[in-house]
Amino acid sequence: MKLELDEKLGELFRGVKAAGAEVTGLAPNKEFATNIGVETYGKETQLGGKADALRHITFSALATQQYGEGTAKVISKLNENITWNQSDAEKAMDYSNDAIGRRIGKTAKTREEIVSEAKKAIESGEAKTIKDISGPYYSYRDWE
């Protein structure tokens, strides 16, 4: 019964996030960021891996360009706090990568430059994946 409830709540929260992306005009950025992550690093790294990191960095950079750094940070916090059943390690990863994206978004001129800078952050180890932060030491509060 709990698993069924978790699945239903997860579905509900994903629907809320998708509606929010549509209303704010961020849906195309979300789609672009998701696709580039999967194309670059593979679907198997989409949850907690390099594709996930690339998605967060790219989306956050695009949101920064579209709405400014402050609003992009609010979007990041809302996104992480309306996600059902996400661990502190996953939040830490996402917050850290979103911050990198905001920094990139302030200076990048094109989507290509955003993706290039995001890949550099991932390959250099600056960006985080779940294996980088899955210990008890890390807290998403470290990146707020």
CSV table of all heavy atoms in Angstrom, one decimal, residues 114-136:
chain,number,residue,atom,x,y,z
A,114,ILE,N,26.5,27.5,-22.9
A,114,ILE,CA,26.0,26.9,-21.7
A,114,ILE,C,26.3,25.4,-21.6
A,114,ILE,O,26.9,25.0,-20.5
A,114,ILE,CB,24.5,27.1,-21.5
A,114,ILE,CG1,24.2,28.6,-21.3
A,114,ILE,CG2,23.9,26.3,-20.4
A,114,ILE,CD1,22.7,29.0,-21.4
A,115,VAL,N,26.0,24.7,-22.6
A,115,VAL,CA,26.3,23.2,-22.6
A,115,VAL,C,27.8,22.9,-22.5
A,115,VAL,O,28.2,22.1,-21.7
A,115,VAL,CB,25.6,22.6,-23.8
A,115,VAL,CG1,26.0,21.1,-23.9
A,115,VAL,CG2,24.1,22.7,-23.8
A,116,SER,N,28.6,23.7,-23.2
A,116,SER,CA,30.0,23.5,-23.2
A,116,SER,C,30.6,23.7,-21.8
A,116,SER,O,31.3,22.9,-21.3
A,116,SER,CB,30.7,24.4,-24.2
A,116,SER,OG,32.1,24.3,-24.1
A,117,GLU,N,30.1,24.8,-21.2
A,117,GLU,CA,30.6,25.2,-19.8
A,117,GLU,C,30.1,24.1,-18.8
A,117,GLU,O,30.8,23.8,-17.8
A,117,GLU,CB,30.2,26.6,-19.4
A,117,GLU,CG,31.0,27.6,-20.2
A,117,GLU,CD,32.5,27.6,-20.0
A,117,GLU,OE1,32.9,27.5,-18.9
A,117,GLU,OE2,33.2,27.6,-21.0
A,118,ALA,N,28.9,23.7,-19.0
A,118,ALA,CA,28.3,22.7,-18.1
A,118,ALA,C,29.1,21.4,-18.2
A,118,ALA,O,29.4,20.8,-17.1
A,118,ALA,CB,26.8,22.5,-18.4
A,119,LYS,N,29.4,21.0,-19.4
A,119,LYS,CA,30.2,19.7,-19.6
A,119,LYS,C,31.6,19.9,-18.9
A,119,LYS,O,32.1,18.9,-18.3
A,119,LYS,CB,30.4,19.4,-21.0
A,119,LYS,CG,29.1,18.9,-21.7
A,119,LYS,CD,29.4,18.6,-23.2
A,119,LYS,CE,28.2,18.3,-24.0
A,119,LYS,NZ,28.5,18.1,-25.4
A,120,LYS,N,32.2,21.1,-19.0
A,120,LYS,CA,33.5,21.3,-18.4
A,120,LYS,C,33.4,21.1,-16.9
A,120,LYS,O,34.2,20.5,-16.2
A,120,LYS,CB,34.0,22.7,-18.7
A,120,LYS,CG,34.5,22.8,-20.1
A,120,LYS,CD,35.0,24.3,-20.3
A,120,LYS,CE,35.3,24.5,-21.8
A,120,LYS,NZ,35.6,26.0,-22.0
A,121,ALA,N,32.3,21.6,-16.3
A,121,ALA,CA,32.1,21.5,-14.8
A,121,ALA,C,31.9,20.1,-14.4
A,121,ALA,O,32.4,19.7,-13.4
A,121,ALA,CB,30.9,22.4,-14.4
A,122,ILE,N,31.2,19.3,-15.3
A,122,ILE,CA,31.0,17.9,-15.0
A,122,ILE,C,32.3,17.1,-15.1
A,122,ILE,O,32.7,16.4,-14.2
A,122,ILE,CB,29.9,17.3,-15.9
A,122,ILE,CG1,28.5,17.9,-15.5
A,122,ILE,CG2,29.9,15.8,-15.8
A,122,ILE,CD1,27.5,17.7,-16.5
A,123,GLU,N,33.0,17.3,-16.2
A,123,GLU,CA,34.2,16.5,-16.4
A,123,GLU,C,35.4,16.9,-15.4
A,123,GLU,O,36.2,16.1,-15.1
A,123,GLU,CB,34.7,16.7,-17.9
A,123,GLU,CG,33.7,16.1,-18.9
A,123,GLU,CD,33.2,14.7,-18.6
A,123,GLU,OE1,34.0,13.8,-18.2
A,123,GLU,OE2,32.0,14.4,-18.7
A,124,SER,N,35.3,18.2,-15.0
A,124,SER,CA,36.4,18.6,-14.0
A,124,SER,C,36.1,18.1,-12.6
A,124,SER,O,37.0,18.2,-11.7
A,124,SER,CB,36.5,20.1,-14.0
A,124,SER,OG,35.4,20.7,-13.4
A,125,GLY,N,34.9,17.7,-12.3
A,125,GLY,CA,34.5,17.2,-11.0
A,125,GLY,C,33.9,18.3,-10.2
A,125,GLY,O,33.5,18.1,-9.0
A,126,GLU,N,33.8,19.6,-10.7
A,126,GLU,CA,33.1,20.6,-10.0
A,126,GLU,C,31.6,20.3,-9.8
A,126,GLU,O,31.1,20.5,-8.7
A,126,GLU,CB,33.3,22.0,-10.8
A,126,GLU,CG,32.5,23.1,-10.1
A,126,GLU,CD,32.5,24.4,-11.0
A,126,GLU,OE1,32.8,24.3,-12.1
A,126,GLU,OE2,32.0,25.4,-10.4
A,127,ALA,N,31.0,19.9,-10.8
A,127,ALA,CA,29.6,19.5,-10.7
A,127,ALA,C,29.5,18.2,-9.9
A,127,ALA,O,30.4,17.4,-9.9
A,127,ALA,CB,29.0,19.3,-12.1
A,128,LYS,N,28.4,18.0,-9.3
A,128,LYS,CA,28.2,16.8,-8.4
A,128,LYS,C,27.2,15.8,-9.0
A,128,LYS,O,26.3,16.1,-9.7
A,128,LYS,CB,27.6,17.2,-7.1
A,128,LYS,CG,28.5,18.3,-6.4
A,128,LYS,CD,29.9,17.7,-6.0
A,128,LYS,CE,30.7,18.7,-5.3
A,128,LYS,NZ,32.1,18.5,-5.5
A,129,THR,N,27.5,14.5,-8.7
A,129,THR,CA,26.6,13.4,-9.0
A,129,THR,C,26.3,12.8,-7.7
A,129,THR,O,27.0,13.0,-6.7
A,129,THR,CB,27.2,12.4,-10.0
A,129,THR,OG1,28.3,11.8,-9.4
A,129,THR,CG2,27.5,13.0,-11.3
A,130,ILE,N,25.3,11.9,-7.6
A,130,ILE,CA,24.9,11.4,-6.3
A,130,ILE,C,26.1,10.6,-5.7
A,130,ILE,O,26.2,10.6,-4.5
A,130,ILE,CB,23.6,10.5,-6.5
A,130,ILE,CG1,22.9,10.4,-5.1
A,130,ILE,CG2,23.9,9.2,-7.1
A,130,ILE,CD1,22.3,11.7,-4.7
A,131,LYS,N,26.9,9.9,-6.5
A,131,LYS,CA,28.0,9.2,-5.9
A,131,LYS,C,29.0,10.1,-5.2
A,131,LYS,O,29.7,9.7,-4.3
A,131,LYS,CB,28.7,8.3,-6.9
A,131,LYS,CG,29.5,9.0,-8.0
A,131,LYS,CD,30.2,8.0,-8.9
A,131,LYS,CE,31.0,8.5,-9.9
A,131,LYS,NZ,31.6,9.4,-10.4
A,132,ASP,N,29.1,11.4,-5.7
A,132,ASP,CA,30.0,12.3,-5.1
A,132,ASP,C,29.5,12.8,-3.7
A,132,ASP,O,30.3,13.2,-2.9
A,132,ASP,CB,30.1,13.6,-5.9
A,132,ASP,CG,30.7,13.3,-7.3
A,132,ASP,OD1,31.6,12.4,-7.4
A,132,ASP,OD2,30.3,13.9,-8.3
A,133,ILE,N,28.2,12.7,-3.4
A,133,ILE,CA,27.7,13.3,-2.2
A,133,ILE,C,26.8,12.4,-1.4
A,133,ILE,O,26.0,12.9,-0.6
A,133,ILE,CB,26.9,14.7,-2.5
A,133,ILE,CG1,25.8,14.4,-3.5
A,133,ILE,CG2,27.9,15.7,-3.1
A,133,ILE,CD1,25.0,15.6,-3.8
A,134,SER,N,26.9,11.1,-1.6
A,134,SER,CA,25.9,10.2,-0.9
A,134,SER,C,26.2,9.9,0.5
A,134,SER,O,25.5,9.1,1.1
A,134,SER,CB,25.7,9.0,-1.8
A,134,SER,OG,27.0,8.3,-1.9
A,135,GLY,N,27.3,10.5,1.1
A,135,GLY,CA,27.6,10.2,2.5
A,135,GLY,C,26.8,11.1,3.4
A,135,GLY,O,26.2,12.0,3.0
A,136,PRO,N,26.8,10.7,4.7
A,136,PRO,CA,26.0,11.5,5.7
A,136,PRO,C,26.6,12.9,5.9
A,136,PRO,O,25.9,13.7,6.5
A,136,PRO,CB,26.1,10.6,6.9
A,136,PRO,CG,27.4,9.8,6.7
A,136,PRO,CD,27.5,9.6,5.3
